[in-house]
Amino acid sequence: MADAVKEAYKSSTSIVPALQGIIGCSQTGQRLIGYSSDEGVRLFFFGILADRASVEGLDEACIDPNEIALHFLGRYKSQGESFLDDIAGDYVVALTDDQDETVLLACGPSALRAIYYSIEGGALIFATQLCLFKTLCDGDVKLDREHEDFLLIYGFSPQGRTLLSSVSAIQPGKKLVWRKGKVSHSDISFQPVSCGFDICSSDADCYAALYDVFMATLRRQAAGYDRVEVLLGGFDSALVAAGLNRIGKKVGTWSFGYSQSEFNQPHVEEVSNSVGGEHHWIPMDEQVIRNGLERFGLDFNAPTNWPNYVIQTAALCERIAQEGRDICFSGDGCDTVFLGYPGTWRRTRVLAAMPRIPKSLQRFLIWALARPALDRFFGHPWRVMLNILRSSTWPSSVRTFLSFRIFDESSIAGLKGNAHQVPPGYCFEMAKTISQPYQELPVMRLGYAGKSMVSPNRSKMTTGSAKSGLAIMSPYLDPIFKSFAEKLPVELSRPDDATGELRISGKKALSEMAKKYDLLPGVVVDQPKIAAVDAPVDHWYANSLRECMLQLFEYLPFDADRKHLEALLEPHAAEKYFMQYLLTDRVIKHGPSLLATYASVCKEVAGVRKVSRF
């Protein structure tokens, strides 16, 4: 669990016997906590407001969470339950009103921070971390395994499910009202303020409007801060650092540093020099990952196939906070709105163009090829091939939405025993349901919307912020900026006639804007893509972290096959060549990563006991 927890409410009012709430964060993280009370109303605010200038009556430079909580309390007393309407941000709010015997829980529309709740025996229980429910429920929690196979195949729990059977997540932009034992759900009404620009007739006009919206977003987000830090990776975050420097902020930059230099981001010194700030390389090694994996279920609320990325970011944020800093910017969200992620682009193009094959042929090929022994021998490339084969009979709009798989049905048979079979049609029906709200999107944006389902960015930013107390922001996640960027034609980010690095990395509109307004050196704008998730974890899993991974596997909630688990950690020739010739990322061991983090969450959140397998 985090170093400390802050109890949200504990008093002798008439509703307290039916209410328990804990906000989980470190002592440093409590800098994000605001509290205010008046005449029997208590309001608890946790997080960050992205656009303080749009909140009527609030100073745009206000960064004190207690002042924000006081302002929210005043809005509630004058506007009632609609007091959060049209407020953008990365926050959760909990409120109790003695007079109405009411509890209100809400999650801001940014989709970054989360709040969970359970209703047991007429009592409302809530927390911001799943691991806290063991304390609140006196250890009486149960793992929800209904959609475990979906989680293992696609890397996330469907439809907002959590890993606890009695605990649900309040979805972004939603609020829950508990009044005298009865619960209702409603939306936070949210209409982003227009950025003031329409999509223009020429590319040059688009770049000019994009520049103006980008710079205006940074001014709003950085209001109240003289110095800002940037989690510096590639072009996306470098552009953020350059923009912040241009609006007059003092900028410090920070990056992961590996002893294997090929995994370090290039050109960070050029970026640091161009913004006039100091760059910090923070060493990252297998010990950082080992510590993070062993306590993963205490710090994070869901498993991921990119644990090194979220673990390292949380550690980096804590280091920044130790230097006395208050705010950090990142490049999160850029690849989604400007169609980056080379792997997503390639998969979406292939799956969209692929003809549907007869079901009889598909069934025969799957019968012949989907064997656990082949899965163990070839590894991830085999699962990619089977993913293409399994989705070959699906409508294009469904298969392009969930284009990325971690395990295959044959993998699950190998893990759980051949007697376990994923029901025929299960994955298709789930994919069809999940993709339904996005069916009106252009096919390429559809693929990127699906990618966001499995993306670790939300987990990374939420835990990094809660553990460090840093306000973490990104202009690319701002609702005003996103609403503008998403209106840009797909061809302006990924033109059909693109060549060279632009064909791989995409984001033409952003790179052309950076060049036109001289924000960054050309070598930074045109640099080859190095994925932020890249790290030598595949090598560590097979060597220095092998024992750690095997020990974590012993907390899996099913009787996993030892031979299959060990094979997942081993280097495979097929994976080596697949990475070398077909991938831009240099991490391919998604399977063991997902299993290790799932096991850690099962252990810490649901109290799954260790079963010796090795």
Side-chain angles (χ1 to χ4, degrees):
M1 191 163 27
D3 298 329
V5 295
K6 184 178 178 73
E7 293 186 38
Y9 303 103
K10 192 173 185 179
S11 64
S12 58
T13 64
S14 60
I15 64 172
V16 163
L19 174 69
Q20 296 183 75
I22 294 181
I23 302 298
C25 60
S26 68
Q27 292 285 8
T28 306
Q30 292 185 23
R31 292 187 297 178
L32 299 170
I33 295 171
Y35 177 77
S36 184
S37 64
D38 183 45
E39 298 179 342
V41 180
R42 289 167 296 281
L43 186 144
F44 180 91
F45 170 88
F46 179 48
I48 307 156
L49 290 187
D51 184 9
R52 299 175 291 282
S54 69
V55 183
E56 184 179 357
L58 186 67
D59 189 331
E60 68 173 7
C62 177
I63 56 177
D64 182 348
N66 286 313
E67 289 188 30
I68 296 172
L70 177 63
H71 184 81
F72 276 17
L73 182 60
R75 287 174 62 96
Y76 170 75
K77 298 189 78 171
S78 64
Q79 301 177 28
E81 294 174 9
S82 63
F83 73 107
L84 294 174
D85 287 355
D86 296 322
I87 296 180
D90 166 21
Y91 63 84
V92 295
V93 167
L95 177 146
T96 62
D97 187 333
D98 290 356
Q99 182 175 355
D100 291 341
E101 296 187 14
T102 296
V103 180
L104 182 147
L105 305 176
C107 185
S110 70
L112 292 178
R113 207 168 293 275
I115 187 166
Y116 306 95
Y117 72 96
S118 176
I119 300 173
E120 295 288 335
L124 174 65
I125 302 169
F126 74 90
T128 55
Q129 287 180 262
L130 281 180
C131 67
L132 297 174
F133 279 88
K134 283 197 301 182
T135 300
L136 292 168
C137 300
D138 296 323
D140 187 21
V141 293
K142 184 179 179 181
L143 188 68
D144 183 357
R145 298 184 57 197
E146 181 181 358
H147 294 295
E148 181 179 77
D149 290 344
F150 185 92
L151 168 68
L152 296 178
I153 292 171
Y154 290 106
F156 66 96
S157 296
Q159 300 171 315
R161 301 284 289 261
T162 76
L163 295 186
L164 293 178
S165 58
S166 62
V167 179
S168 301
I170 296 178
Q171 295 300 297
K174 303 286 185 179
K175 57 191 174 187
L176 174 152
V177 175
W178 185 94
R179 181 176 287 113
K180 297 180 181 180
K182 295 183 179 180
V183 174
S184 62
H185 300 265
S186 59
D187 293 334
I188 297 174
S189 177
F190 184 73
Q191 294 294 328
V193 178
S194 170
C195 63
F197 294 96
D198 294 323
I199 300 304
C200 307
S201 57
S202 70
D203 288 359
D205 288 342
C206 283
Y207 303 149
L210 180 58
Y211 175 79
D212 289 338
V213 177
F214 181 72
M215 300 305 292
T217 300
L218 289 175
R219 289 189 188 94
R220 285 187 286 103
Q221 291 187 331
Y225 298 95
D226 295 322
R227 171 165 181 142
V228 295
E229 313 303 314
V230 176
L231 300 175
L232 186 59
F235 164 66
D236 308 344
S237 52
L239 187 60
V240 173
L244 290 166
N245 174 64
R246 182 158 294 185
I247 64 174
K249 303 298 179 180
K250 186 175 181 181
V251 180
T253 54
W254 303 72
S255 297
F256 306 145
Y258 304 100
S259 59
Q260 299 93 325
S261 59
E262 67 269 22
F263 290 97
N264 293 334
Q265 288 285 344
H267 307 303
V268 295
E269 285 78 12
E270 287 93 334
V271 176
S272 181
N273 291 336
S274 70
V275 302
E278 180 183 1
H279 184 70
H280 308 78
W281 287 103
I282 305 303
M284 294 293 168
D285 56 22
E286 53 264 56
Q287 188 59 46
V288 174
I289 305 304
R290 177 183 288 107
N291 294 342
L293 286 171
E294 289 175 345
R295 56 173 294 115
F296 192 91
L298 297 173
D299 292 335
F300 300 92
N301 294 313
T304 178
N305 54 302
W306 286 290
N308 61 292
Y309 184 45
V310 298
I311 290 167
Q312 291 169 182
T313 302
L316 189 58
C317 289
E318 288 186 289
R319 177 64 182 274
I320 295 172
Q322 290 168 7
E323 297 295 320
R325 310 308 180 202
D326 298 312
I327 183 171
C328 186
F329 279 80
S330 78
D332 286 290
C334 182
D335 281 287
T336 298
V337 294
F338 289 102
L339 309 182
Y341 291 135
T344 302
W345 169 67
R346 287 171 173 167
R347 287 193 303 273
T348 303
R349 291 176 71 242
V350 168
L351 292 174
M354 184 177 66
R356 296 174 71 172
I357 68 173
K359 286 188 176 182
S360 57
L361 176 59
Q362 181 216 41
R363 284 195 293 266
F364 171 76
L365 292 173
I366 289 176
W367 172 83
L369 299 173
R371 306 299 174 105
L374 295 175
D375 188 296
R376 289 192 296 269
F377 184 80
F378 290 105
H380 185 72
W382 193 253
R383 296 171 211 133
V384 171
M385 181 272 293
L386 288 175
N387 177 31
I388 295 173
L389 183 58
R390 289 188 187 277
S391 62
S392 60
T393 60
W394 297 5
S396 175
S397 60
V398 178
R399 67 188 183 211
T400 54
F401 182 77
L402 289 183
S403 63
F404 180 75
R405 278 179 159 217
I406 298 164
F407 284 113
D408 180 73
E409 285 86 337
S410 63
S411 312
I412 294 175
L415 281 168
K416 297 184 177 182
N418 284 312
H420 182 91
Q421 298 292 327
V422 178
Y426 167 74
C427 286
F428 171 67
E429 292 301 325
M430 291 298 299
K432 184 173 69 172
T433 300
I434 295 169
S435 65
Q436 186 59 43
Y438 305 90
Q439 291 299 304
E440 299 303 316
L441 293 175
V443 65
M444 191 57 68
R445 291 207 178 277
L446 187 68
Y448 282 84
K451 171 66 169 65
S452 67
M453 296 285 180
V454 72
S455 171
N457 290 353
R458 178 184 185 184
S459 182
K460 176 195 80 171
M461 295 181 74
T462 299
T463 299
S465 178
K467 291 192 71 177
S468 66
L470 291 173
I472 304 179
M473 296 188 184
S474 170
Y476 309 113
L477 296 173
D478 176 81
I480 297 176
F481 184 85
K482 280 183 66 178
S483 67
F484 174 81
E486 289 174 347
K487 293 175 185 175
L488 293 170
V490 168
E491 295 76 21
L492 206 55
S493 287
R494 280 199 173 274
D496 292 336
D497 59 352
T499 58
E501 185 57 34
L502 180 62
R503 178 172 177 81
I504 298 172
S505 299
K507 297 178 280 193
K508 176 187 176 183
L510 210 59
S511 60
E512 292 297 325
M513 181 268 282
K515 292 176 182 177
K516 179 177 180 179
Y517 292 94
D518 196 26
L519 283 165
L520 287 168
V523 68
V524 177
V525 177
D526 297 326
Q527 65 179 300
K529 174 73 172 179
I530 292 184
V533 299
D534 280 357
V537 290
D538 291 352
H539 175 74
W540 293 342
Y541 287 167
N543 296 279
S544 56
L545 291 181
R546 179 183 173 84
E547 190 61 31
C548 171
M549 297 290 283
L550 293 176
Q551 289 178 6
L552 283 171
F553 291 161
E554 294 183 337
Y555 289 95
L556 288 168
F558 50 84
D559 188 18
D561 179 76
R562 171 179 174 173
K563 182 168 62 174
H564 206 97
L565 291 173
E566 290 180 328
L568 289 171
L569 299 175
E570 297 297 331
H572 298 285
E575 291 182 337
K576 174 184 175 182
Y577 291 113
F578 190 77
M579 274 199 300
Q580 184 175 350
Y581 295 110
L582 293 176
L583 293 186
T584 54
D585 299 358
R586 285 175 291 178
V587 173
I588 202 168
K589 292 294 187 181
H590 299 290
S593 289
L594 182 63
L595 287 178
T597 55
Y598 180 45
S600 183
V601 174
C602 289
K603 172 190 174 185
E604 304 296 350
V605 170
V608 171
R609 296 183 181 276
K610 181 178 181 179
V611 176
S612 180
R613 297 188 177 99
F614 302 98

